[in-house]
């Protein structure tokens, strides 16, 4: 597909194609949102099997950390290089790391793949919003953007029960393996239909200093919140890290 401005790309897509793209983005976002709630239910079993009690907070923290930090960066990269290659890379990375998490034989491996999952999933939300803005007029965007909130609500409702059911009946590995066939549907639709949209008015330079400062602020703040499970607010590893992030 050739690069096109957002307006040109939207004009050359049929309403059906736009809906299929929207469905694929919602499906990818559902997997990303669901993963956060499903894993929480299965985490006690995972920790027991992998003997990871000393590192259990990192299985959650690393996912939040990489997804939070990478989100704004992915948004800028999609402006520069196009939505299509960035979202295909991100969803592909999420699916590969889901397989890796399911195959993990140690807590260290599990944490590594959870971090990669977050790195892939961090692109979904900002790019999904950008795709809607590219494909629909301002008057149309409201009704479609509301569906993103519904996806997060649905995932929070079904996630814990689904995680418990899969873990009890098939094993915790399958809460990650089940992502793959569903994600491949999203990946195929996006590869087939999503135009390689770039923003011609986007600056060509990436603010590396700003990205480093953002990372330096978010990382200690999230680590401090995670350490609160085993410490007090006044501990340097809790309040100290959070204050460092705010500073």
């Amino acid at each position: 597909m050739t690069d096109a401005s957002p307006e040109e790309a939207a004009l050359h897509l049929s309403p059906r194609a736009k809906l299929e793209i929207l469905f694929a983005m919602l499906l990818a976002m559902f997997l990303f949102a669901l993963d956060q709630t499903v894993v929480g239910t299965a985490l006690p079993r995972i920790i027991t099997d992998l003997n990871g009690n000393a590192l259990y907070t990192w299985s959650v923290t690393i996912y939040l950390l990489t997804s939070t930090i990478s989100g704004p960066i992915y948004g800028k990269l999609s402006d520069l290089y196009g939505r299509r290659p960035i979202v295909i890379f991100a969803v592909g990375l999420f699916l590969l790391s889901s397989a890796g998490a399911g195959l993990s034989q140690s807590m260290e491996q599990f944490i590594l793949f959870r971090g990669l999952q977050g790195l892939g999933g961090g692109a979904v939300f900002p790019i999904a919003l950008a795709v809607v803005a590219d494909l629909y007029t301002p008057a149309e965007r409201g009704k479609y953007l509301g569906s993103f909130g519904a996806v997060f609500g649905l995932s929070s409702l079904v996630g814990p029960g689904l995680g418990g059911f899969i873990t009890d009946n098939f094993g915790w590995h399958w809460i990650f393996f089940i992502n793959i066939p569903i994600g491949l549907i999203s990946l195929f639709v996006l590869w087939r239909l999503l135009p390689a949209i770039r923003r011609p008015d986007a600056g060509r330079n990436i603010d590396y200093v700003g990205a480093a400062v953002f990372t330096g602020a978010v990382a200690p703040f999230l680590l401090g919140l995670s350490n609160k499970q085993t410490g007090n607010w006044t501990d340097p590893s809790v309040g100290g890290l959070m204050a460092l992030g705010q500073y």
Side-chain angles (χ1 to χ4, degrees):
M1 293 184 181
T2 58
D3 293 342
S5 70
E7 294 77 14
E8 291 172 341
L11 287 174
H12 287 86
L13 286 174
S14 66
R16 178 186 174 87
K18 291 181 182 180
L19 286 176
E20 288 184 18
I21 292 171
L22 180 65
F23 169 77
M25 292 304 306
L26 288 173
L27 194 59
M29 185 175 294
F30 180 70
L31 286 179
F32 172 62
L34 189 67
D35 200 69
Q36 301 178 58
T37 55
V38 168
V39 174
T41 306
L43 200 54
R45 184 73 59 82
I46 296 172
I47 292 169
T48 301
D49 288 354
L50 299 181
N51 299 315
N53 190 59
L55 298 172
Y56 81 96
T57 56
W58 276 101
S59 61
V60 177
T61 303
I62 195 67
Y63 185 83
L64 294 175
L65 191 61
T66 54
S67 62
T68 302
I69 291 171
S70 62
I73 299 173
Y74 275 125
K76 180 62 175 180
L77 290 175
S78 71
D79 285 342
L80 294 176
Y81 304 110
R83 316 288 187 215
R84 185 170 178 263
I86 299 302
V87 75
I88 287 175
F89 166 78
V91 175
L93 176 61
F94 181 82
L95 296 182
L96 287 174
S97 53
S98 293
L103 294 171
S104 296
Q105 300 299 309
S106 68
M107 199 63 184
E108 290 79 9
Q109 291 178 8
F110 182 73
I111 291 170
L112 171 64
F113 287 115
R114 285 290 287 163
L116 291 175
Q117 269 192 306
L119 197 61
V124 175
F125 188 68
I127 295 183
L129 296 180
V131 166
V132 171
D134 290 336
L135 299 182
Y136 295 99
T137 65
E140 296 174 309
R141 290 171 193 166
K143 63 179 179 181
Y144 296 111
L145 289 175
S147 57
F148 294 125
V151 164
F152 279 98
L154 180 62
S155 66
S156 64
L157 286 175
V158 304
L162 182 62
F165 175 80
I166 294 175
T167 302
D168 290 341
N169 291 277
F170 303 100
W172 64 265
H173 307 275
W174 284 95
I175 67 173
F176 299 102
F177 295 154
I178 200 172
N179 290 339
I180 298 173
I182 300 173
L184 286 175
I185 297 172
S186 173
L187 199 61
F188 174 73
V189 174
L190 293 173
W191 172 79
R192 186 171 62 91
L193 294 176
L194 184 63
I197 302 171
R198 297 183 185 181
R199 300 296 307 187
D201 54 341
R204 300 305 301 173
N205 296 320
I206 298 176
D207 184 6
Y208 294 103
V209 174
V213 171
F214 178 71
T215 302
V218 171
F221 190 83
L222 286 177
L223 289 174
L225 285 177
S226 299
N227 291 337
K228 178 61 181 70
Q229 299 181 64
T230 56
N232 298 317
W233 289 112
T234 54
D235 292 345
S237 61
V238 181
L241 285 174
M242 294 178 66
L244 178 63
Q246 291 179 323
Y247 179 78

